[in-house]
């Protein structure tokens, strides 16, 4: 762990430990037993993983608040309050080491820790919230009466647009640079004027979380540098194996390399699309065959999936070219589209071998005009979805179950039920990745194919 | 210096030969482009802009700044050169003249010289990353194909171009009044849309997340090819949308678009609008009126206007207690007129965007700036083309003594506008920012010394 001046006196006072949250600014100056190092980290990972699953299922904020409280209680409690604070801090810093090492790991950890912080903050009393805001030293100041009167009408318009009670005369509003509250800006949940957002008291969580996120993001980069430059070598026999094992234990495979069934060839694609593609990919595949074109988002989603399925780059180029040239001509294909396919295979630009999109990523996409990517369970209208499911061979009873999951925004569960309906066998692990759908399907169908041959 | 020889050779033949300007045929031609880059393209202005005051004169300036900017060239033989970088105005100018790209794209400023990125990549520390980038927007008329009947695809005419004008008005006002940006450049993309560059220091330093937030703030049009509802407001409108609606969109829809696109003239067209109303009784009432009215409507009033009034009256009449239905009028207007941005372009710092004053290879038109204050006057069909400019160079008075040849052509107006309305105020504020930053730094070192 990092050797830095101790600031623990602050978090150690009994009052604070009940009401406030640590800022995780400094690694703790504590002796940590090796077992605790690992056990604490596993406990925190359970919390983060629980949050990750819940977010992927589209849980509402109020559901999340309860869920986080329960997860924390179940995993992070300690009979002694001061020990609980220590466990919180130690586990956070251990996971920083675990999740600092690649862009993807950092991104996941950052989102989950930020979500965790958000709901823990919301669960605090208002005094504790104000104390935390002061500790964060946020770039905001409460607006004066006069200023409030000047913008009152606009603040009321914003409140009405979200069905919130209108601000009363004694309401506190903070004026902050709009950059500090991106999520409120994105949702048009604040009035913005000349670069400043007017943030209501009940929205300050957004400010705190943005600050938390930005601090942690920077810290992870620094931790990564320290890890690669010194810690990994120094701790080769002690911490390094633990750290490396911890990150593998939860994220699952990324499907960037087709391992299980080797390569597939173009002539099998149509057959495979019908038998083993999840709806999102099957839809893109059909649209491509129909329109001989897909917009960027669709090319990425389908292209990387096909790569994960085992289509070699030369075959991918031939496959896309055969379709696109019917629409734009072979020449324009070579000129405008071939580059990005080679790029996906890591042969151009940054030369990164890009990983296929996971369900979580696909669900979070926002397809626009002319787009066919995204998660059909989330982005299709009900009529279009039922029609598409019908074409996949989902019967009417199963269809009703699927649509029911969709209405409750359980998109991955809806996909799992579809899988079960189409394959006539259960899928206990659930669907988390289109390539997992494919490989599970392949595993079920493969033996039958061999028997036929 | 073979490159300069060849360039001069072809120039002379075209420009000073015995033939008159009228022999230059329309269309695009790589030889014309050489002349254009040689004599008209404002290299110096692009360099000054992209330097943002880091020109080496001020002690607080960052000398490596311009050299870390990515340019990328599309060459005539479809070769795409990414990660080009230049250390001076003359390097930039010479490379453009030599390579004669059919398109120049501008990328972000990176942490290190993008041309040397591989050397840094070896370190494994991932130091090669974008650090600054203008906030950019790309609006393309092809994204409006479901609401225009005059053209489709890349075609654009004076009936549908006003959709772009409306987009400029809505976005420009919000960028200035809501987000507080001052240095905004709008550019005609050469064929079917507009680009926007927001160049304030704080805009250039925005993170991807903050860019995404601004793009989402502007995003109204939701849904895709597979969901029905394109615009839907769950509650009353946010002040930004109220302003856009009352100041721009409503008037444009009712007084221009309704008639110019004949939005209600046929069954197919009005059915599309009826599909945006989620109430069976309202839609069947209107449908009934319009079907039987088809022949008997002989009033002088335009049928589109008449039907729109009927629709509004039905939706907003006292009978409709459901607030959502009243809001349908707004939803329809937004669906037809509200700007549709290419979100991905704005969200990430590493997106490339075509440089102003490029020539569009298909239309031959120059990507000239558009004055947002006067955007209604902008006419894409009269934008100077490469061949017109060369004709003007030929016929222009050769005795006229000017520093810049573009002053003799219709490009002059655009370059003067670029300088006076955009570049000069921008550079002034860059200097001020640099000055105050420098003073603060000096103060800081003084303070730390005294300790």
């Amino acid at each position: 762990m990092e050797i830095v001046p101790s600031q623990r006196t602050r978090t150690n006072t009994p009052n604070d430990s009940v009401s406030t949250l640590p800022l995780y600014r400094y690694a703790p100056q504590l002796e940590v037993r090796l077992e605790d190092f690992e056990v604490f980290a596993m406990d925190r990972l359970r919390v983060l993983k629980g949050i990750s699953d819940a977010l992927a299922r589209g849980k509402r904020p109020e559901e999340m608040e309860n869920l986080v409280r329960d997860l924390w209680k179940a995993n992070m409690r300690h009979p002694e309050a001061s020990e609980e604070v220590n466990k919180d801090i130690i586990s956070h810093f251990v996971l920083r080491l675990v999740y600092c090492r690649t862009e993807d790991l950092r991104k996941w950890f950052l989102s989950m820790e930020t979500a965790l912080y958000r709901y823990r903050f919301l669960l605090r009393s208002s005094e504790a919230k104000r104390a935390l805001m002061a500790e964060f030293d946020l770039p905001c100041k409460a607006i004066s009466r006069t200023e409030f009167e000047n913008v009152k009408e606009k603040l009321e318009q914003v409140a009405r647009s979200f069905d919130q009670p209108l601000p009363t005369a004694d309401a506190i509003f903070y004026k902050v640079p709009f950059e500090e509250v991106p999520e409120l800006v994105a949702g048009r949940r604040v009035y913005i004027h000349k670069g400043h957002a007017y943030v209501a008291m009940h929205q300050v969580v957004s400010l705190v979380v943005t600050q938390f996120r930005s601090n942690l993001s920077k810290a992870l980069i620094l931790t990564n540098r320290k890890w690669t430059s010194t810690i990994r070598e120094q701790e080769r026999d002690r911490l390094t194996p633990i750290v490396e094992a911890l990150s593998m234990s939860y994220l699952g495979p990324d499907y960037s390399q087709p391992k299980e069934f080797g390569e597939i060839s173009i002539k099998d694609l149509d057959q495979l699309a019908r038998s083993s593609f999840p709806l999102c990919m099957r839809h893109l595949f059909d649209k491509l065959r129909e329109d001989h074109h897909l917009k960027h988002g669709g090319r990425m989603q389908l292209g990387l999936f096909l790569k994960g399925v085992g289509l070699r780059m030369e075959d991918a180029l031939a496959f896309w070219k055969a379709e696109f040239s019917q629409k734009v001509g072979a020449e324009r294909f070579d000129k405008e589209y071939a580059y990005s396919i080679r790029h996906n295979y890591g042969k151009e630009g940054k030369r990164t071998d890009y990983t296929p999109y996971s369900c979580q990523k696909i669900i979070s996409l926002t397809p626009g005009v002319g787009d066919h990517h995204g998660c059909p369970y989330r982005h299709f209208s009900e009529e279009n979805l039922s029609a598409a499911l019908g074409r996949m061979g989902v019967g009417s009873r199963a269809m009703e179950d699927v649509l029911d999951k969709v209405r409750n925004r359980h998109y991955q569960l809806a996909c799992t039920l579809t899988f079960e309906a189409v394959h006539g066998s259960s899928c206990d692990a659930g669907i988390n990745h289109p390539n997992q759908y494919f490989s599970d399907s392949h595993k079920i169908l493969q033996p039958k194919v061999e028997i036929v041959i | 210096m073979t490159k300069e020889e060849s360039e001069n050779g072809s120039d002379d033949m075209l420009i000073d030969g015995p033939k008159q300007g009228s022999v230059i045929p329309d269309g695009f031609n790589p030889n014309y482009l050489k002349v254009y880059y040689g004599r008209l393209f404002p290299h110096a202005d692009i360099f000054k802009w992209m330097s943002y005051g880091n020109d080496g004169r001020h002690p607080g300036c960052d000398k490596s700044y311009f050299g870390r900017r990515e340019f990328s060239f599309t060459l005539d033989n479809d070769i795409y050169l990414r990660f080009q970088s230049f250390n001076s105005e003359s390097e930039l100018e010479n490379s453009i003249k030599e390579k004669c790209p059919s398109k120049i794209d501008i990328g972000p400023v990176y942490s290190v010289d993008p041309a040397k990125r591989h050397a840094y990549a070896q370190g494994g520390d991932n130091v090669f990353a974008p650090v600054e980038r203008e906030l950019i927007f790309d609006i393309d008329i092809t994204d409006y194909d479901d609401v225009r009947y005059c053209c489709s695809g890349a075609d654009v005419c004076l009936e549908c171009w006003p959709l772009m004008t409306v987009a400029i008005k809505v976005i420009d006002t919000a960028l200035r009044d809501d987000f507080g940006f001052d240095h905004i450049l709008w550019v005609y993309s050469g064929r079917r849309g507009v680009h926007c560059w927001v160049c304030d220091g704080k805009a250039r330093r925005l993170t991807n997340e903050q860019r995404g937030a601004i793009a989402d703030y502007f995003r109204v049009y939701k849904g895709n090819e597979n969901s029905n509802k394109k615009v839907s407001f769950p509650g009353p409108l946010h002040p930004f949308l109220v302003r856009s609606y009352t100041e721009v969109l409503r008037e444009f829809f009712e007084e221009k678009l309704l008639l110019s696109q004949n939005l209600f003239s046929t069954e197919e067209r009005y059915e599309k609008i009826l599909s945006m109303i989620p109430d069976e009784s309202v839609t069947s009432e209107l449908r009934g009126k319009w079907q039987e009215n088809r022949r008997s409507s002989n009033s002088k009033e335009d049928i589109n206007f008449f039907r729109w009034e009927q629709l509004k009256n039905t939706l907003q009449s006292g009978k409709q207690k459901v607030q959502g239905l009243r809001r349908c009028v707004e939803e329809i207007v937004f669906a037809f007129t509200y700007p549709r941005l290419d979100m991905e372009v704005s969200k990430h710092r590493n997106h490339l965007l075509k440089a102003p004053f490029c020539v569009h290879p298909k239309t031959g038109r120059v990507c000239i700036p558009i004055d947002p204050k006067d955007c209604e006057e902008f006419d894409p069909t009269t934008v100077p083309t490469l061949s017109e400019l060369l004709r003007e160079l030929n016929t222009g008075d050769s005795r006229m003594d000017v520093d810049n040849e573009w002053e003799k052509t219709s490009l002059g107006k655009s370059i003067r506008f670029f300088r006076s309305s955009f570049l000069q105020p921008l550079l002034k504020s860059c200097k001020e920012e640099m000055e105050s930053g420098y003073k603060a730094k000096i103060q800081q070192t003084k303070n730390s010394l005294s300790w």
Side-chain angles (χ1 to χ4, degrees):
Chain A
M1 295 203 135
E2 301 153 68
I3 313 299
V4 282
S6 168
Q7 294 284 320
R8 284 204 55 249
T9 42
R10 210 186 248 171
T11 50
N12 239 1
T13 51
N15 265 345
D16 272 359
S17 62
V18 218
S19 60
T20 189
L21 292 170
L23 304 190
Y24 310 110
R25 277 197 183 135
Y26 309 98
Q29 288 294 85
L30 297 168
E31 301 235 324
V32 184
R33 292 184 311 165
L34 210 53
E35 307 96 87
D36 286 350
F37 185 89
E38 193 168 1
V39 170
F40 287 1
M42 286 302 285
D43 283 344
R44 194 182 190 89
L45 251 188
R46 282 193 192 99
V47 175
L48 298 184
K49 177 68 178 156
I51 293 174
S52 164
D53 288 346
L55 290 175
R57 300 225 155 114
K59 288 247 191 244
R60 292 178 190 80
E62 40 312 344
E63 296 173 294
M64 287 302 292
E65 218 173 291
N66 291 331
L67 179 103
V68 166
R69 188 200 330 230
D70 295 344
L71 280 170
W72 192 264
K73 243 187 226 163
N75 298 293
M76 298 298 289
R77 270 291 161 86
H78 200 284
E80 270 178 75
S82 69
E83 277 308 298
E84 192 172 324
V85 176
N86 285 344
K87 180 173 177 182
D88 180 4
I89 296 175
I90 291 165
S91 61
H92 172 88
F93 276 95
V94 174
L95 290 186
R96 268 197 201 181
L97 274 186
V98 176
Y99 285 89
C100 73
R101 294 164 310 132
T102 69
E103 178 83 38
D104 283 344
L105 291 174
R106 285 196 292 270
K107 221 169 146 183
W108 185 84
F109 182 67
L110 193 56
S111 317
M112 296 318 140
E113 278 285 334
T114 308
L116 173 63
Y117 209 81
R118 168 190 305 272
Y119 295 107
R120 288 180 75 197
F121 180 84
L122 286 172
L123 290 164
R124 303 288 134 161
S125 68
S126 36
E127 300 92 83
K129 282 180 189 160
R130 242 171 265 151
L132 260 173
M133 283 177 69
E135 257 194 286
F136 266 111
D137 198 17
L138 299 167
C140 65
K141 66 174 205 288
I143 60 171
S144 67
R145 266 316 80 200
T146 348
E147 194 169 3
F148 176 76
E149 289 303 324
N150 285 340
V151 295
K152 191 170 160 221
E153 193 197 331
K154 305 286 183 191
L155 299 179
E156 286 174 354
Q157 268 180 4
V158 175
R160 251 185 257 120
S161 74
F162 283 98
D163 211 11
Q164 291 277 342
L166 296 187
T168 53
D170 58 346
I172 301 174
F173 275 86
Y174 294 96
K175 194 173 168 181
V176 304
F178 78 87
E179 296 96 318
E180 302 294 333
V181 283
E183 59 175 23
L184 297 178
V185 172
R188 285 193 295 266
R189 288 178 168 267
V190 278
Y191 171 58
I192 310 177
H193 183 64
K194 291 284 173 201
H196 285 93
Y198 291 78
V199 177
M201 190 59 206
H202 68 91
Q203 296 173 316
V204 293
V205 60
S206 207
L207 255 174
V208 171
V209 159
T210 305
Q211 195 71 30
F212 175 84
R213 193 189 161 90
S214 130
N215 293 349
L216 181 56
S217 172
K218 283 177 205 144
L220 282 172
I221 305 277
L222 290 179
T223 312
N224 181 38
R225 281 201 197 133
K226 263 187 202 155
W227 170 261
T228 39
S229 62
T230 54
I231 309 174
R232 181 171 49 193
E233 228 4 73
Q234 273 173 12
E235 296 285 343
R236 202 163 28 135
D237 303 321
R238 209 169 60 119
L239 296 186
T240 304
I242 302 180
V243 163
E244 279 171 357
L246 272 170
S247 66
M248 296 308 290
S249 59
Y250 266 116
L251 274 186
D254 68 2
Y255 298 98
S256 60
Q257 306 296 333
K259 285 180 195 97
E260 295 156 66
F261 23 83
E263 291 161 10
I264 57 163
S265 72
I266 304 181
K267 65 175 170 36
D268 299 331
L269 273 180
D270 284 285
Q271 161 65 26
L272 286 170
R274 251 173 289 133
S275 66
S276 299
F277 280 18
L279 180 54
C280 53
M281 299 304 170
R282 190 173 150 146
H283 177 67
L284 285 169
F285 189 82
D286 290 346
K287 277 293 155 195
L288 174 64
R289 287 282 199 223
E290 196 180 312
D291 300 344
H292 313 299
H293 190 268
L294 282 178
K295 292 181 82 172
H296 176 77
R299 297 200 298 273
M300 291 296 286
Q301 185 173 316
L302 181 62
L304 290 170
F305 169 78
L306 291 175
K307 183 177 96 163
V309 156
L311 193 65
R312 294 184 323 138
M313 186 177 85
E314 291 70 28
D315 289 341
L317 281 167
F319 165 72
W320 289 96
K321 187 169 182 171
E323 290 302 330
F324 270 59
S325 47
Q326 296 177 49
K327 171 107 173 191
V328 301
E331 196 186 326
R332 248 190 86 194
F333 175 83
D334 291 338
K335 189 168 132 191
E336 291 174 28
Y337 300 100
Y339 178 90
S340 74
I341 291 166
R342 290 195 300 272
H343 191 262
N344 280 350
Y345 280 82
K347 302 292 180 216
E348 298 278 2
K350 270 204 300 181
R351 295 184 180 261
T352 317
D353 205 357
Y354 289 90
T355 53
Y357 291 178
S358 67
C359 288
Q360 211 178 334
K361 162 114 185 173
I362 291 173
I363 291 171
S364 72
L365 296 172
T366 47
V369 192
D371 276 331
H372 288 284
H373 64 282
C375 173
Y377 301 98
R378 168 154 185 214
H379 296 115
F380 276 27
S381 67
E382 200 163 303
E383 301 85 77
N384 283 344
L385 181 60
S386 349
L389 289 170
R391 282 193 296 276
M392 280 183 94
V394 178
S396 57
R397 188 175 307 162
M399 176 115 54
E400 209 29 62
D401 293 343
V402 172
L403 293 177
D404 193 52
K405 294 290 176 214
V406 168
R407 285 179 207 122
N408 289 307
R409 294 184 292 168
H410 297 309
Y411 309 117
Q412 287 173 242
L413 293 180
C415 189
T416 310
L417 288 182
T418 307
F419 181 95
E420 292 177 346
V422 171
H423 293 85
S425 75
S426 71
C427 173
D428 298 331
I431 299 296
N432 295 306
H433 200 294
N435 290 83
Q436 174 219 343
Y437 185 108
F438 178 82
S439 72
D440 286 0
S441 165
H442 208 65
K443 268 180 221 149
I444 293 171
L445 300 174
Q446 188 77 331
K448 294 181 195 161
V449 175
E450 274 167 2
I451 292 162
V452 172
I453 292 164
Chain B
M1 297 269 121
T2 45
K3 64 186 179 198
E4 274 166 21
E5 269 167 31
S6 68
E7 185 185 285
N8 288 338
S10 57
D11 285 6
D12 289 346
M13 276 180 46
L14 273 168
I15 307 302
D16 300 330
K19 292 172 188 169
Q20 280 307 302
S22 56
V23 296
I24 295 175
D26 288 331
F28 186 82
N29 173 323
N31 289 325
Y32 300 173
L33 204 52
K34 264 205 172 323
V35 182
Y36 177 76
Y37 285 132
R39 296 172 59 180
L40 294 174
F41 186 78
H43 302 277
D45 298 80
I46 298 288
F47 174 77
K48 271 189 202 144
W49 168 26
M50 287 291 133
S51 299
Y52 289 102
N54 292 293
D55 52 8
R57 266 174 250 151
H58 193 280
C61 82
D62 174 356
K63 290 199 180 75
S64 75
Y65 186 87
F66 182 80
R68 287 185 283 123
R69 168 80 70 170
E70 174 185 358
F71 289 84
S72 90
F73 294 164
T74 308
L75 303 188
D76 200 39
N77 45 8
D78 292 336
I79 290 174
Y80 196 44
L81 301 174
R82 279 204 63 183
F83 300 116
Q84 308 293 298
S85 66
F86 308 100
N87 286 311
S88 65
E89 181 186 331
S90 57
E91 265 187 35
L92 171 74
E93 181 169 352
N94 291 339
S95 180
I96 292 176
K97 284 179 177 171
E98 178 204 348
K99 299 205 172 74
C100 199
S102 54
K103 184 164 137 230
I104 302 171
D105 283 302
I106 299 177
V109 176
Y110 286 94
S111 47
V112 296
D113 179 350
K116 298 184 187 130
R117 68 199 179 283
H118 291 308
Y120 295 97
Q122 311 304 325
D125 214 3
N126 216 1
V127 284
F128 177 65
V131 288
E132 266 194 34
R133 208 280 179 273
E134 293 76 14
L135 172 64
I136 51 175
F137 297 95
D138 181 5
I139 309 170
D140 197 333
I141 195 83
T142 48
D143 286 334
Y144 290 73
D145 275 0
D146 61 321
V147 295
R148 57 183 186 143
Y149 301 111
C150 51
C151 313
S152 68
D155 296 328
V156 59
C157 71
L158 292 180
E159 303 289 351
C160 53
W161 181 260
L163 286 162
M164 291 291 116
T165 311
V166 161
I168 295 177
K169 282 186 187 172
V170 167
I171 303 296
D172 191 71
T173 309
L175 288 171
R176 290 174 204 273
D177 292 357
D178 300 1
F179 292 102
F181 295 126
D182 293 316
H183 304 287
I184 301 169
L185 177 69
W186 287 93
V187 184
Y188 174 53
S189 73
R191 179 156 71 158
R192 56 189 184 186
V194 291
H195 295 161
C196 173
W197 301 76
V198 187
C199 304
D200 299 56
K202 75 172 187 170
R204 283 180 274 135
R205 290 186 289 269
L206 291 170
T207 63
N208 284 346
E209 192 196 10
Q210 291 161 339
R211 281 162 211 265
I214 297 175
D216 282 332
Y217 183 80
F218 286 135
R219 178 180 165 98
V220 161
Y221 195 88
K222 291 199 173 120
N224 53 72
E225 292 310 295
N226 304 294
S227 65
N228 298 329
K229 200 116 193 202
K230 306 289 187 190
V231 174
S232 136
F233 297 124
L237 300 186
H238 181 276
F240 154 61
L241 298 178
V242 171
R243 184 189 60 214
S244 305
Y245 183 70
T246 55
E247 290 180 8
V248 184
L249 304 180
R250 183 171 55 196
E251 187 187 331
F252 170 70
F253 181 86
E254 297 192 331
E255 289 176 18
K256 290 228 179 81
L257 201 72
L258 201 52
L259 306 179
S260 73
Q261 297 293 337
N262 280 309
L263 295 182
F264 286 87
S265 60
T266 66
E267 185 174 340
E268 192 195 347
R269 292 185 187 182
Y270 70 63
E271 277 301 333
K272 188 151 132 190
I273 294 172
L274 289 179
S275 74
M276 299 179 193
I277 302 171
D279 185 300
E280 199 67 42
S281 68
V282 173
T283 51
S284 57
E285 181 188 333
L286 288 170
R287 190 178 292 121
K289 281 185 191 163
W290 296 345
Q291 276 170 347
E292 71 191 40
N293 258 4
R294 209 181 309 161
R295 271 169 220 92
S296 62
S297 154
N298 56 354
S299 79
K300 284 176 222 94
E301 211 170 16
D302 180 273
I303 189 158
N304 299 292
F305 190 72
F306 183 68
R307 287 176 172 173
W308 172 243
E309 289 298 317
Q310 277 185 318
L311 180 147
K312 274 202 300 187
N313 288 335
T314 315
L315 282 175
Q316 293 174 336
S317 70
K319 273 195 304 189
Q320 308 301 338
K321 286 184 210 76
V322 196
Q323 272 296 324
L325 275 188
R326 291 167 164 264
R327 223 167 284 130
C328 245
V329 173
E330 291 161 6
E331 288 175 353
I332 293 168
V333 172
F334 272 89
F336 276 89
T337 60
Y338 186 83
R340 299 174 178 192
L341 305 174
D342 184 339
M343 304 287 284
E344 295 306 313
V345 172
S346 309
K347 281 183 169 178
H348 302 109
R349 282 194 290 206
N350 55 1
H351 238 284
L352 298 166
L353 193 66
K354 181 159 59 171
F357 298 107
C358 278
V359 179
H360 194 288
K362 292 266 162 44
T363 61
R365 296 197 190 279
V366 182
C367 303
I368 55 169
I370 300 174
D371 183 354
K373 287 201 228 52
D374 213 12
C375 55
E376 262 159 351
E377 301 306 313
F378 182 83
D379 178 352
T381 64
T382 60
V383 169
T385 64
L386 188 50
S387 42
E388 281 163 13
L389 290 175
L390 297 199
R391 261 177 241 148
E392 288 168 1
L393 268 186
N394 268 358
T395 51
D397 189 348
S398 54
R399 287 157 302 172
M400 206 166 90
D401 200 24
V402 286
D403 288 341
N404 292 296
E405 291 200 89
W406 46 259
E407 284 173 28
K408 294 193 280 188
T409 71
S410 46
L411 194 60
K413 201 173 76 172
S414 295
I415 295 183
R416 278 192 298 276
F417 169 78
F418 179 82
R419 288 184 177 176
S420 65
S421 305
F422 171 70
L423 191 58
Q424 281 154 14
L426 171 68
L427 294 182
K428 185 165 170 275
S429 90
C430 287
K431 294 273 161 179
E432 285 162 8
E433 200 178 296
M434 204 174 277
E435 187 66 38
S436 63
Y438 183 67
K439 272 188 192 145
K441 217 166 115 192
I442 298 278
Q443 199 56 46
Q444 216 177 8
T445 38
K446 268 188 193 153
N447 288 349
S448 62
L449 278 178
S450 65
W451 278 92

